[in-house]
Amino acid sequence: MNHFLDIHKIDSAELRGIIDSAAAMKAARQGRARGMPDDDQPLAGQMVALIFEKPSTRTRVSFDVGVRQMGGQTMLLSGTDMQLGHGETIADTARVLSRYVDLIMIRTFDESVLIEMAEYADVPVINGLTDRTHPCQIMADILTYEEHRGPIKGRKVVWSGDGNNVCASMLHAAGQLGFDLTFTGPAQLDPEAEFIGLARKAGVTIQIERDPHKAVAGADLVVTDTWVSMHDSQSAKERRHNMLRPYQVNDALMASAKPDALFMHCLPAHREEEVTSAVMDGPASVVFDEAENRLHAQKAVMRWCLGL
Ligand code: CP
Ligand code: NVA
């Protein structure tokens, strides 16, 4: 069963195949209106359940549009609408959904929900974000980097800010696709040691550098994310802002990176917090290409899951 749970759990050659297929599917749609179907309809007759236990704009819309472009149908479900939020076990929910739908995408809090869903479902399960990782986002980010600058292999990526769920998937991709990653942020918010270890074991250089300007020296790509994630308690907001303020991505920080360095953010962004508008709207920024590429990358992920 081809579950898409995390980047480090998928063979590198398979990941490369998914990214290449996303680029080809995107190219095949050039000049076509968003609502026009793809020429081939690989998901014709297929039903996809999209489960959201947290808010979403990009993941929700890009999966929904992607399925429709490929000829399939979607069903949007919120955790609270389902019995899942009222005591039915994940395992039973997974078994029941498998009798109705061909593919399940779930955005949830604890990753154990995703793992249990995949263990008991008879259909592929896709990780649409957990507190711990966000692999679909990073597939889109790799596609975006390579569109603008060519192969990511051997490049230097710098993550500035919170070593959160999106950063974790970037670390997984570093190991699997062969690029170096430097994390710069406060020690309390370092990425998980297990994920750093995994990437290092794969042979890439993973560095921790507390000085953001030193960190971005030689960077090909600078990435950040919100200072307070959906799973973080709002009471931690002020403390996090104070710790993370030195890691804001602004023009001065970008000036310390390579002259042709790109800037990425998974969005939603909090302008003038983790990133200034000058950078978000500036020449290095590819944030809206990233958002678009969620669509193309996830279409390729769904085809891979279904073997189509
Ligand atoms: N980047 C991302 O996953 O955005 P949403 O939370 O809007 O889905
Ligand atoms: N780190 C953010 C990503 C949102 C797409 C969060 O988990 O809220």
Side-chain angles (χ1 to χ4, degrees), residues 162-240:
D162 182 11
N164 63 13
N165 45 3
V166 183
C167 178
S169 290
M170 189 64 94
L171 266 171
H172 293 156
Q176 295 291 78
L177 299 172
F179 58 90
D180 297 335
L181 190 144
T182 297
F183 171 80
T184 186
Q188 297 95 313
L189 301 178
D190 275 350
E192 284 185 45
E194 180 192 333
F195 293 159
I196 293 176
L198 265 175
R200 284 184 177 150
K201 213 169 138 193
V204 294
T205 303
I206 306 296
Q207 289 182 309
I208 308 257
E209 168 55 62
R210 302 287 167 219
D211 178 334
H213 285 272
K214 281 189 191 158
V216 300
D220 296 291
L221 170 63
V222 179
V223 195
T224 192
D225 187 10
T226 180
W227 288 342
V228 185
S229 283
M230 292 182 273
H231 58 270
D232 291 321
S233 107
Q234 280 302 313
S235 63
K237 187 174 168 182
E238 197 181 330
R239 188 174 50 85
R240 283 180 154 268

Side-chain angles (χ1 to χ4, degrees), residues 55-60 107 134 137 230 266-268 294:
S56 169
T57 297
R58 280 143 290 268
T59 306
R60 177 179 165 144
R107 166 170 288 195
H134 195 6
Q137 179 65 52
M230 292 182 273
C266 63
L267 308 182
R294 293 293 303 277

Side-chain angles (χ1 to χ4, degrees), residues 273-294:
E273 292 181 10
E274 72 273 7
V275 59
T276 58
S277 281
V279 171
M280 272 276 286
D281 302 328
S285 174
V286 290
V287 297
F288 299 110
D289 291 339
E290 275 182 275
E292 175 184 340
N293 282 338
R294 293 293 303 277

Side-chain angles (χ1 to χ4, degrees), residues 46-61:
Q46 309 252 7
M47 181 63 78
V48 181
L50 305 174
I51 306 172
F52 289 91
E53 297 198 281
K54 287 177 179 172
S56 169
T57 297
R58 280 143 290 268
T59 306
R60 177 179 165 144
V61 178

Side-chain angles (χ1 to χ4, degrees), residues 128-141:
L129 177 145
T130 69
D131 296 357
R132 205 171 177 214
T133 61
H134 195 6
C136 289
Q137 179 65 52
I138 299 305
M139 296 300 279
D141 290 1

